[in-house]
Amino acid sequence: MKIEDKIYGNFEVGPVLEELILSAPVQRLKNIHQGGAIFLVNPALNQNRYAHSVGVFYLVKHFGGGIEEQIAALLHDVSHTAFSHVADYVFENTNEDYHETIFDEVINRSEIPVILKKYGFNSTSLFKQAHTILEQPLPALCADRVDYTLRDLYQADFIGLTEIRNFISELTIQDGCMVVRSEKAGDWIKNQFRRLNEAYFKKPEHVYANLKLAELIKDALDEGILQKNDLLRDDFQVLRKLNNNVVMNQRLADIGNLVHFKQFANKGATERFKQRSLHPMIMI
């Protein structure tokens, strides 16, 4: 199976990865927006969790991660609810990891364990392993963090493909973890990560969209317009249910039109977000 990625180009995947990519849980990610509700106020920012998941898989494979880590990379986001991290605001999850708390349940209710067993993998043990290229706590680099930083900034026209490919060439693996070859490369990705957080995630219009959609979804759950399990469907399925209600339809339109945005921005809503910084290790 050949994959075409707008950042990393074309590459081949083997049988188990192909079958997982074609499975319903991974295909669903094509309709889960990476930026939550940001696309409602800026339709050009429509990158999805599928492209990100495939990108993280590519990076793990490219940098020598084994087949089990490649599988974990591809599947690491399958439990994201509709609108990604908006669910964290809906359920007041301050760690912003609601999708991780339901990961095992989502995996076990899907066809993924059967696919993995077919190829000789145990789904329970596979996801319990430490996959050090895939995930690291801040402030370290990892495949997940590198891909969403590059992908989101590229989609927002903050960086270009030449810069991305130059940076990828500066990455390597040391003691099982992702590091940079030079201080210059470390400074570049550190500055880009800061830019992502300050100019993209914390952009007032983007914060407005995510928090207003969270308020709307909370109300829809309280009023029985949505059920909690609806959030395990995709963005467009949830939007259809919301749009079938006259009041919710109008509130969605108001988000897109930034109604009451000035009052919202003046309340300093972005201050609620924790500071996040990146300090990459440099190859010794």
Side-chain angles (χ1 to χ4, degrees):
M1 180 183 189
K2 180 182 284 187
I3 297 291
E4 296 180 5
D5 184 84
K6 66 170 64 177
I7 291 180
Y8 308 123
N10 300 337
F11 53 92
E12 297 284 341
V13 301
V16 61
L17 274 305
E18 177 177 356
E19 195 161 340
L20 289 168
I21 286 171
L22 295 175
S23 69
V26 176
Q27 289 295 305
R28 169 183 170 270
L29 297 178
K30 291 180 176 179
N31 291 326
I32 304 293
H33 287 87
Q34 179 90 350
I38 291 173
F39 75 102
L40 294 175
V41 295
N42 189 341
L45 299 178
N46 61 357
Q47 60 272 36
N48 58 59
R49 291 266 161 201
Y50 172 83
H52 166 63
S53 297
V54 170
V56 176
F57 150 68
Y58 168 82
L59 288 176
V60 168
K61 181 181 180 183
H62 180 74
F63 288 101
I67 185 65
E68 292 192 342
E69 188 162 14
Q70 293 174 37
I71 291 169
L74 178 69
L75 300 177
H76 80 283
D77 269 354
V78 293
S79 58
H80 259 294
T81 54
F83 311 108
S84 293
H85 286 288
V86 168
D88 292 317
Y89 313 136
V90 172
F91 300 121
E92 299 179 6
N93 185 303
T94 56
N95 291 325
E96 298 185 5
D97 64 353
Y98 178 76
H99 67 292
E100 294 178 19
T101 69
I102 61 171
F103 182 83
D104 289 345
E105 178 187 356
V106 170
I107 289 287
N108 291 333
R109 288 172 54 186
S110 75
E111 67 261 45
I112 286 171
V114 174
I115 295 171
L116 292 175
K117 186 176 180 181
K118 175 181 172 182
Y119 291 92
F121 300 101
N122 181 291
S123 62
T124 302
S125 61
L126 189 150
F127 296 115
K128 300 303 180 189
Q129 297 174 33
H131 299 296
T132 56
I133 301 175
L134 167 61
E135 295 284 2
Q136 288 289 330
L138 280 168
L141 286 176
C142 62
D144 182 23
R145 195 164 293 123
V146 166
D147 184 85
Y148 74 67
T149 300
L150 299 179
R151 195 171 296 276
D152 286 355
L153 290 175
Y154 175 73
Q155 190 75 16
D157 289 328
F158 285 143
I159 57 175
L161 289 179
T162 299
E163 292 172 281
I164 288 173
R165 288 166 185 169
N166 286 343
F167 174 70
I168 295 295
S169 72
E170 288 283 338
L171 289 173
T172 190
I173 302 299
Q174 181 174 282
D175 298 328
C177 298
M178 190 174 277
V179 299
V180 290
R181 297 178 187 274
S182 66
E183 186 175 345
K184 181 180 178 182
D187 287 341
W188 185 85
I189 193 62
K190 181 166 61 176
N191 290 334
Q192 298 309 320
F193 189 74
R194 183 185 305 116
R195 191 182 193 185
L196 176 72
N197 281 274
E198 298 300 326
Y200 184 83
F201 291 147
K202 290 186 180 180
K203 185 175 181 179
E205 292 86 348
H206 296 176
V207 176
Y208 166 90
N210 280 326
L211 295 185
K212 285 296 184 181
L213 183 61
E215 288 176 12
L216 187 158
I217 289 173
K218 270 187 183 181
D219 290 344
L221 290 168
D222 289 343
E223 295 171 26
I225 297 165
L226 289 179
Q227 304 301 316
K228 191 174 181 181
N229 279 345
D230 286 327
L231 297 181
L232 296 177
R233 303 168 82 180
D234 67 42
D235 293 5
F236 298 106
Q237 290 172 317
V238 174
L239 284 175
R240 279 195 291 272
K241 290 198 76 170
L242 292 172
N243 279 318
N244 283 335
N245 179 278
V246 174
V247 174
M248 296 298 168
N249 177 278
Q250 184 58 55
R251 288 177 64 179
L252 282 169
D254 288 348
I255 294 172
N257 292 322
L258 294 169
V259 172
H260 302 309
F261 169 69
K262 287 184 179 179
Q263 297 94 308
F264 174 88
N266 289 337
K267 290 179 181 177
T270 60
E271 300 307 314
R272 63 172 281 175
F273 294 94
K274 58 188 176 185
Q275 294 293 319
R276 290 157 28 111
S277 59
L278 196 60
H279 298 285
M281 293 290 293
I282 300 172
M283 182 178 67
I284 300 172

